[in-house]
Amino acid sequence: METHKIYIAPSILSADLLQLKTQVEMLTENGADFIHVDVMDGHFVPNLTFGRNVVKTLKRITSLPLDVHLMISNPDLYIEDYARAGADILTVHEEACTHLHRTLQSIHQQGIKAGVSLNPATPIATIENVLDNIDLLLIMTVNPGFGGQKFIPQGLKKIAEARRMIDTSGRDILLEVDGGVDSSTVESIVQHGANVLVSGNAIFGPPDIVAAMKQLKAKAEKA
Ligand code: DX5
Ligand code: ZN
């Protein structure tokens, strides 16, 4: 994966579950780069979503990397499960990890990529000491838990700060943004330095999901 190329990661949180297979196949065949899977436990965030069986099932229908976003407490307990289920990138929340360095090492021990995510209120400086241990940094631009929320504009400053930190480190780290990514925010998000764009409602909301994804990606690539 190239760290400056634009990647689009449709979030199946907003998919039509009755058409999940068709929708994921359509996006896979038409230029999606990752499939973003939001795992919520009703404890770390006030919502419940998918578990490892969904990851395992998605693996059978798409060749794209599965970008699994764990919004759960005690993620250490589940790393092996999600790696075995087929996660290619496993992202944990800094706020959910007492021993983040160890958690990231455990993810790498499974032979997959490790990501760390920061809530809107969490400063970038909290992950300064684990830059050597991550392949992806996820900046949340909404409070995690639900799709279709409004982009929090203070996130832009954090994206820029994260970009500077990554470039200074010289490490190959993807900079991902999640929450409120749509046609009105995507340009600015990319201009501030992000290169992986998660999008739920802006892709699955319109009737033509492929057209919506292509438009969003084209706008990001031109920004
Ligand atoms: C929110 C999730 C997101 C969500 C984004 O907690 O992590 O991945 O699907 O949805 P949109 O793009 O609709 O803001
Ligand atoms: Zn997410």
Side-chain angles (χ1 to χ4, degrees), residues 11 36 38 69 71 138 140 178 198:
S11 166
H36 185 84
D38 288 307
H69 179 190
M71 284 162 275
L138 169 53
M140 288 305 300
D178 187 3
V198 176

Side-chain angles (χ1 to χ4, degrees), residues 68-104:
V68 178
H69 179 190
L70 293 183
M71 284 162 275
I72 64 175
S73 304
N74 297 318
D76 303 76
L77 301 178
Y78 304 96
I79 289 169
E80 197 180 334
D81 285 350
Y82 281 90
R84 284 194 180 186
D88 297 277
I89 307 169
L90 198 53
T91 297
V92 293
H93 267 264
E94 185 274 339
E95 303 84 1
C97 298
T98 313
H99 303 288
L100 180 61
H101 182 269
R102 183 191 291 153
T103 304
L104 296 167

Side-chain angles (χ1 to χ4, degrees), residues 167-217:
D167 287 351
T168 308
S169 78
R171 296 246 315 123
D172 286 343
I173 297 171
L174 298 166
L175 182 51
E176 181 173 55
V177 171
D178 187 3
V181 178
D182 62 21
S183 60
S184 71
T185 54
V186 73
E187 282 167 322
S188 184
I189 290 168
V190 171
Q191 282 160 6
H192 281 78
N195 75 314
V196 184
L197 305 161
V198 176
S199 181
N201 260 37
I203 291 176
F204 292 97
D208 188 342
I209 63 168
V210 167
M213 177 185 69
K214 284 186 171 172
Q215 278 161 23
L216 198 62
K217 193 172 179 185

Side-chain angles (χ1 to χ4, degrees), residues 25-181:
E25 284 173 349
M26 276 163 65
L27 296 170
T28 301
E29 285 157 21
N30 287 284
D33 297 292
F34 307 146
I35 298 297
H36 185 84
V37 187
D38 288 307
V39 176
M40 305 187 190
D41 66 351
H43 182 265
F44 180 69
V45 288
N47 197 4
L48 278 166
T49 54
F50 315 114
R52 61 184 155 178
N53 285 342
V54 172
V55 174
K56 202 172 165 186
T57 306
L58 286 167
K59 202 69 187 170
R60 290 165 42 201
I61 60 160
T62 181
S63 53
L64 294 179
L66 299 179
D67 172 31
V68 178
H69 179 190
L70 293 183
M71 284 162 275
I72 64 175
S73 304
N74 297 318
D76 303 76
L77 301 178
Y78 304 96
I79 289 169
E80 197 180 334
D81 285 350
Y82 281 90
R84 284 194 180 186
D88 297 277
I89 307 169
L90 198 53
T91 297
V92 293
H93 267 264
E94 185 274 339
E95 303 84 1
C97 298
T98 313
H99 303 288
L100 180 61
H101 182 269
R102 183 191 291 153
T103 304
L104 296 167
Q105 280 186 320
S106 307
I107 298 174
H108 278 149
Q109 274 162 12
Q110 296 296 321
I112 59 175
K113 293 191 186 297
V116 65
S117 178
L118 302 178
N119 280 336
T122 307
I124 297 284
T126 53
I127 52 97
E128 206 175 334
N129 293 328
V130 292
L131 278 185
D132 283 345
N133 307 91
I134 60 174
D135 306 292
L136 176 146
L137 172 58
L138 169 53
I139 308 289
M140 288 305 300
T141 41
V142 297
N143 287 297
F146 302 93
Q149 301 182 80
K150 206 172 168 306
F151 181 82
I152 299 171
Q154 287 92 326
L156 291 173
K157 206 174 128 251
K158 275 175 77 177
I159 298 167
E161 203 183 323
R163 170 51 64 203
R164 279 195 296 276
M165 195 188 268
I166 290 170
D167 287 351
T168 308
S169 78
R171 296 246 315 123
D172 286 343
I173 297 171
L174 298 166
L175 182 51
E176 181 173 55
V177 171
D178 187 3
V181 178

